[in-house]
Short mmCIF file of all heavy atoms in Angstrom, two decimals:
data_model
loop_
_atom_site.label_atom_id
_atom_site.label_comp_id
_atom_site.label_asym_id
_atom_site.label_seq_id
_atom_site.Cartn_x
_atom_site.Cartn_y
_atom_site.Cartn_z
N THR D 93 107.15 113.11 107.15
CA THR D 93 107.58 114.23 108.03
C THR D 93 106.28 114.74 108.72
O THR D 93 105.18 114.82 108.07
CB THR D 93 108.09 115.34 107.25
OG1 THR D 93 109.26 114.90 106.46
CG2 THR D 93 108.62 116.51 108.11
N VAL D 94 106.39 114.91 110.04
CA VAL D 94 105.22 115.60 110.79
C VAL D 94 105.70 116.90 111.43
O VAL D 94 106.82 116.94 111.80
CB VAL D 94 104.74 114.59 111.84
CG1 VAL D 94 104.19 113.34 111.27
CG2 VAL D 94 105.76 114.19 112.91
N GLU D 95 104.79 117.81 111.45
CA GLU D 95 105.06 119.08 112.11
C GLU D 95 103.69 119.70 112.48
O GLU D 95 102.70 119.55 111.88
CB GLU D 95 105.79 120.00 111.15
CG GLU D 95 105.11 120.48 109.96
CD GLU D 95 105.98 121.35 109.07
OE1 GLU D 95 107.06 120.90 108.62
OE2 GLU D 95 105.59 122.50 108.83
N PRO D 96 103.77 120.48 113.68
CA PRO D 96 102.56 121.18 114.13
C PRO D 96 102.02 122.14 113.02
O PRO D 96 102.83 122.74 112.35
CB PRO D 96 102.99 121.89 115.33
CG PRO D 96 104.34 121.33 115.73
CD PRO D 96 104.86 120.70 114.48
N ALA D 97 100.74 122.26 112.89
CA ALA D 97 100.19 123.24 111.99
C ALA D 97 98.90 123.77 112.58
O ALA D 97 97.80 123.25 112.34
CB ALA D 97 99.83 122.60 110.62
N GLY D 98 99.10 124.70 113.53
CA GLY D 98 97.95 125.22 114.26
C GLY D 98 97.31 124.19 115.19
O GLY D 98 98.07 123.57 115.98
N GLU D 99 96.09 123.91 115.03
CA GLU D 99 95.40 122.92 115.83
C GLU D 99 95.62 121.51 115.36
O GLU D 99 95.15 120.56 116.02
CB GLU D 99 93.94 123.25 115.90
CG GLU D 99 93.63 124.55 116.61
CD GLU D 99 93.88 124.55 118.08
OE1 GLU D 99 93.53 123.52 118.74
OE2 GLU D 99 94.53 125.45 118.57
N SER D 100 96.25 121.36 114.24
CA SER D 100 96.34 119.99 113.59
C SER D 100 97.79 119.76 113.36
O SER D 100 98.71 120.43 113.80
CB SER D 100 95.53 119.97 112.29
OG SER D 100 96.01 120.88 111.35
N VAL D 101 98.09 118.63 112.62
CA VAL D 101 99.45 118.12 112.28
C VAL D 101 99.43 118.00 110.78
O VAL D 101 98.65 117.51 110.14
CB VAL D 101 99.73 116.85 112.94
CG1 VAL D 101 101.07 116.24 112.51
CG2 VAL D 101 99.77 116.94 114.44
N LYS D 102 100.59 118.60 110.21
CA LYS D 102 100.89 118.42 108.86
C LYS D 102 101.66 117.15 108.63
O LYS D 102 102.83 117.05 109.18
CB LYS D 102 101.58 119.58 108.29
CG LYS D 102 102.03 119.48 106.81
CD LYS D 102 102.82 120.67 106.46
CE LYS D 102 103.47 120.48 105.06
NZ LYS D 102 104.51 121.53 104.70
N LEU D 103 101.13 116.21 107.89
CA LEU D 103 101.81 114.92 107.57
C LEU D 103 102.21 115.09 106.07
O LEU D 103 101.34 115.20 105.27
CB LEU D 103 100.97 113.76 107.81
CG LEU D 103 101.52 112.39 107.30
CD1 LEU D 103 102.83 112.08 107.98
CD2 LEU D 103 100.55 111.22 107.41
N GLU D 104 103.48 115.00 105.78
CA GLU D 104 103.98 115.09 104.39
C GLU D 104 104.80 113.74 104.12
O GLU D 104 105.59 113.34 104.91
CB GLU D 104 104.86 116.29 104.22
CG GLU D 104 105.41 116.37 102.77
CD GLU D 104 106.21 117.68 102.55
OE1 GLU D 104 105.53 118.78 102.72
OE2 GLU D 104 107.33 117.56 102.17
N MET D 105 104.40 113.15 102.92
CA MET D 105 105.10 111.99 102.60
C MET D 105 105.75 112.28 101.19
O MET D 105 105.02 112.72 100.25
CB MET D 105 104.12 110.84 102.37
CG MET D 105 104.87 109.45 102.17
SD MET D 105 104.37 108.58 100.61
CE MET D 105 104.50 109.73 99.37
N THR D 106 107.04 112.04 101.07
CA THR D 106 107.72 112.14 99.84
C THR D 106 108.34 110.88 99.49
O THR D 106 109.12 110.26 100.33
CB THR D 106 108.84 113.35 99.81
OG1 THR D 106 108.18 114.51 100.21
CG2 THR D 106 109.52 113.49 98.60
N MET D 107 108.03 110.37 98.25
CA MET D 107 108.66 109.12 97.78
C MET D 107 109.39 109.36 96.51
O MET D 107 108.96 109.87 95.65
CB MET D 107 107.53 108.03 97.56
CG MET D 107 108.12 106.73 96.91
SD MET D 107 106.77 105.60 96.47
CE MET D 107 106.38 104.94 98.09
N ASP D 108 110.66 108.94 96.53
CA ASP D 108 111.56 108.99 95.35
C ASP D 108 111.65 107.53 94.88
O ASP D 108 111.92 106.58 95.65
CB ASP D 108 112.92 109.47 95.61
CG ASP D 108 112.96 111.00 95.89
OD1 ASP D 108 112.20 111.75 95.23
OD2 ASP D 108 113.70 111.38 96.78
N ALA D 109 111.52 107.46 93.55
CA ALA D 109 111.71 106.07 92.87
C ALA D 109 112.85 106.26 91.89
O ALA D 109 112.82 106.93 90.92
CB ALA D 109 110.49 105.59 92.17
N ARG D 110 113.96 105.55 92.24
CA ARG D 110 115.24 105.59 91.42
C ARG D 110 115.40 104.20 90.82
O ARG D 110 115.97 103.36 91.47
CB ARG D 110 116.43 106.08 92.28
CG ARG D 110 116.28 107.49 92.77
CD ARG D 110 117.50 107.95 93.57
NE ARG D 110 117.80 107.09 94.74
CZ ARG D 110 117.24 107.31 95.94
NH1 ARG D 110 116.37 108.18 96.16
NH2 ARG D 110 117.68 106.54 96.95
N ALA D 111 115.09 104.11 89.55
CA ALA D 111 115.39 102.85 88.82
C ALA D 111 116.80 102.78 88.40
O ALA D 111 117.32 103.76 87.91
CB ALA D 111 114.48 102.80 87.66
N TYR D 112 117.35 101.56 88.57
CA TYR D 112 118.75 101.32 88.14
C TYR D 112 118.83 100.13 87.17
O TYR D 112 119.96 99.87 86.75
CB TYR D 112 119.73 101.21 89.33
CG TYR D 112 119.35 100.03 90.25
CD1 TYR D 112 119.87 98.78 89.98
CD2 TYR D 112 118.51 100.25 91.28
CE1 TYR D 112 119.59 97.75 90.85
CE2 TYR D 112 118.24 99.21 92.19
CZ TYR D 112 118.76 97.95 91.99
OH TYR D 112 118.45 96.84 92.77
N LYS D 113 117.77 99.53 86.83
CA LYS D 113 117.84 98.45 85.84
C LYS D 113 116.91 99.01 84.62
O LYS D 113 116.01 99.77 84.82
CB LYS D 113 117.25 97.18 86.33
CG LYS D 113 118.24 96.54 87.32
CD LYS D 113 117.78 95.21 87.83
CE LYS D 113 118.79 94.51 88.79
NZ LYS D 113 118.32 93.16 89.16
N LEU D 114 117.19 98.42 83.51
CA LEU D 114 116.47 98.84 82.24
C LEU D 114 114.99 98.65 82.27
O LEU D 114 114.21 99.62 82.08
CB LEU D 114 116.99 98.10 81.05
CG LEU D 114 116.34 98.43 79.77
CD1 LEU D 114 116.56 99.87 79.36
CD2 LEU D 114 116.79 97.57 78.51
N MET D 115 114.47 97.49 82.69
CA MET D 115 112.99 97.35 82.72
C MET D 115 112.24 98.26 83.58
O MET D 115 111.19 98.88 83.18
CB MET D 115 112.65 95.91 83.01
CG MET D 115 111.19 95.51 82.78
SD MET D 115 110.71 95.82 81.07
CE MET D 115 111.14 94.33 80.27
N PRO D 116 112.68 98.43 84.90
CA PRO D 116 112.00 99.47 85.72
C PRO D 116 112.15 100.92 85.15
O PRO D 116 111.24 101.67 85.25
CB PRO D 116 112.71 99.39 87.05
CG PRO D 116 113.41 98.09 87.06
CD PRO D 116 113.68 97.70 85.62
N LYS D 117 113.29 101.28 84.51
CA LYS D 117 113.40 102.60 83.86
C LYS D 117 112.34 102.78 82.79
O LYS D 117 111.79 103.92 82.65
CB LYS D 117 114.76 102.75 83.23
CG LYS D 117 115.89 102.92 84.25
CD LYS D 117 117.16 103.06 83.63
CE LYS D 117 118.30 103.36 84.71
NZ LYS D 117 119.68 103.57 84.05
N LEU D 118 111.94 101.70 82.17
CA LEU D 118 110.90 101.74 81.09
C LEU D 118 109.53 101.65 81.73
O LEU D 118 108.52 102.33 81.24
CB LEU D 118 111.03 100.62 80.05
CG LEU D 118 112.33 100.68 79.22
CD1 LEU D 118 112.41 99.40 78.44
CD2 LEU D 118 112.49 101.88 78.41
N MET D 119 109.31 100.79 82.81
CA MET D 119 108.01 100.62 83.29
C MET D 119 107.48 101.56 84.35
O MET D 119 106.36 101.92 84.46
CB MET D 119 107.94 99.10 83.89
CG MET D 119 108.06 98.12 82.85
SD MET D 119 106.87 98.11 81.53
CE MET D 119 105.40 97.75 82.44
N ASN D 120 108.45 102.03 85.18
CA ASN D 120 108.07 102.91 86.32
C ASN D 120 107.17 104.12 85.93
O ASN D 120 106.17 104.37 86.52
CB ASN D 120 109.24 103.34 87.09
CG ASN D 120 109.78 102.20 87.97
OD1 ASN D 120 109.23 101.05 87.94
ND2 ASN D 120 110.86 102.54 88.74
N PRO D 121 107.61 104.78 84.84
CA PRO D 121 106.74 105.94 84.50
C PRO D 121 105.29 105.59 84.12
O PRO D 121 104.37 106.34 84.34
CB PRO D 121 107.44 106.54 83.25
CG PRO D 121 108.82 106.13 83.36
CD PRO D 121 108.84 104.73 84.06
N LEU D 122 105.15 104.39 83.61
CA LEU D 122 103.77 103.87 83.28
C LEU D 122 102.96 103.52 84.52
O LEU D 122 101.78 103.66 84.45
CB LEU D 122 103.90 102.58 82.38
CG LEU D 122 104.70 102.83 81.08
CD1 LEU D 122 104.78 101.54 80.31
CD2 LEU D 122 104.03 103.95 80.20
N VAL D 123 103.55 103.17 85.57
CA VAL D 123 102.80 102.68 86.77
C VAL D 123 102.77 103.78 87.88
O VAL D 123 102.07 103.54 88.89
CB VAL D 123 103.36 101.39 87.35
CG1 VAL D 123 103.26 100.25 86.33
CG2 VAL D 123 104.80 101.45 87.82
N MET D 124 103.43 104.91 87.68
CA MET D 124 103.45 105.92 88.77
C MET D 124 102.07 106.45 89.09
O MET D 124 101.81 106.79 90.27
CB MET D 124 104.40 107.01 88.40
CG MET D 124 105.94 106.58 88.46
SD MET D 124 106.38 105.75 89.99
CE MET D 124 106.42 107.10 91.15
N LYS D 125 101.14 106.61 88.14
CA LYS D 125 99.89 107.08 88.48
C LYS D 125 99.12 106.07 89.39
O LYS D 125 98.53 106.49 90.36
CB LYS D 125 98.98 107.28 87.16
CG LYS D 125 97.63 107.74 87.46
CD LYS D 125 97.56 109.13 88.07
CE LYS D 125 96.15 109.65 88.23
NZ LYS D 125 96.01 110.78 89.05
N MET D 126 99.29 104.78 89.07
CA MET D 126 98.66 103.77 89.93
C MET D 126 99.29 103.80 91.37
O MET D 126 98.57 103.69 92.31
CB MET D 126 98.89 102.34 89.29
CG MET D 126 98.31 101.29 90.20
SD MET D 126 98.54 99.62 89.50
CE MET D 126 100.32 99.43 89.81
N ILE D 127 100.61 103.97 91.39
CA ILE D 127 101.27 104.08 92.69
C ILE D 127 100.84 105.29 93.51
O ILE D 127 100.59 105.25 94.70
CB ILE D 127 102.84 103.95 92.53
CG1 ILE D 127 103.22 102.62 92.03
CG2 ILE D 127 103.56 104.35 93.82
CD1 ILE D 127 104.61 102.47 91.51
N SER D 128 100.74 106.43 92.78
CA SER D 128 100.27 107.63 93.45
C SER D 128 98.86 107.52 94.04
O SER D 128 98.58 107.92 95.12
CB SER D 128 100.33 108.78 92.34
OG SER D 128 99.91 109.98 92.96
N ASN D 129 98.05 106.82 93.33
CA ASN D 129 96.61 106.59 93.75
C ASN D 129 96.67 105.69 95.07
O ASN D 129 95.92 105.97 95.99
CB ASN D 129 95.77 105.90 92.70
CG ASN D 129 95.48 106.91 91.61
OD1 ASN D 129 95.50 108.10 91.71
ND2 ASN D 129 95.01 106.39 90.48
N ALA D 130 97.56 104.68 95.10
CA ALA D 130 97.57 103.75 96.23
C ALA D 130 98.24 104.54 97.41
O ALA D 130 97.63 104.37 98.56
CB ALA D 130 98.53 102.60 95.81
N ILE D 131 99.17 105.46 97.19
CA ILE D 131 99.69 106.25 98.29
C ILE D 131 98.67 107.27 98.79
O ILE D 131 98.53 107.54 100.00
CB ILE D 131 100.98 106.93 97.88
CG1 ILE D 131 102.07 105.82 97.58
CG2 ILE D 131 101.52 107.81 98.98
CD1 ILE D 131 103.24 106.34 96.82
N GLU D 132 97.87 107.79 97.87
CA GLU D 132 96.77 108.75 98.35
C GLU D 132 95.87 108.04 99.22
O GLU D 132 95.51 108.56 100.33
CB GLU D 132 96.01 109.17 97.12
CG GLU D 132 96.77 110.18 96.24
CD GLU D 132 96.55 111.71 96.61
OE1 GLU D 132 95.87 112.00 97.70
OE2 GLU D 132 97.11 112.52 95.95
N SER D 133 95.54 106.79 98.95
CA SER D 133 94.61 105.98 99.73
C SER D 133 95.27 105.70 101.08
O SER D 133 94.63 105.84 102.19
CB SER D 133 94.30 104.69 99.04
OG SER D 133 93.52 103.90 99.86
N ASP D 134 96.56 105.37 101.10
CA ASP D 134 97.32 105.17 102.37
C ASP D 134 97.26 106.44 103.25
O ASP D 134 97.05 106.31 104.47
CB ASP D 134 98.70 104.83 102.15
CG ASP D 134 98.96 103.37 101.62
OD1 ASP D 134 97.96 102.66 101.48
OD2 ASP D 134 100.11 102.99 101.37
N MET D 135 97.50 107.51 102.68
CA MET D 135 97.50 108.80 103.48
C MET D 135 96.11 109.09 104.01
O MET D 135 96.00 109.54 105.17
CB MET D 135 97.96 109.99 102.62
CG MET D 135 99.48 109.82 102.20
SD MET D 135 100.60 110.18 103.59
CE MET D 135 100.53 112.05 103.57
#
Side-chain angles (χ1 to χ4, degrees):
T93 304
V94 295
E95 63 183 61
E99 296 290 314
S100 61
V101 173
K102 175 184 170 188
L103 171 63
E104 181 173 299
M105 189 239 49
T106 301
M107 175 186 280
D108 288 324
R110 293 183 301 276
Y112 59 89
K113 290 186 177 178
L114 179 59
M115 190 57 84
K117 285 180 181 182
L118 299 172
M119 295 301 295
N120 286 358
L122 302 174
V123 299
M124 286 312 284
K125 179 64 177 166
M126 180 183 73
I127 291 168
S128 181
N129 289 341
I131 296 168
E132 288 271 2
S133 178
D134 285 359
M135 293 288 280

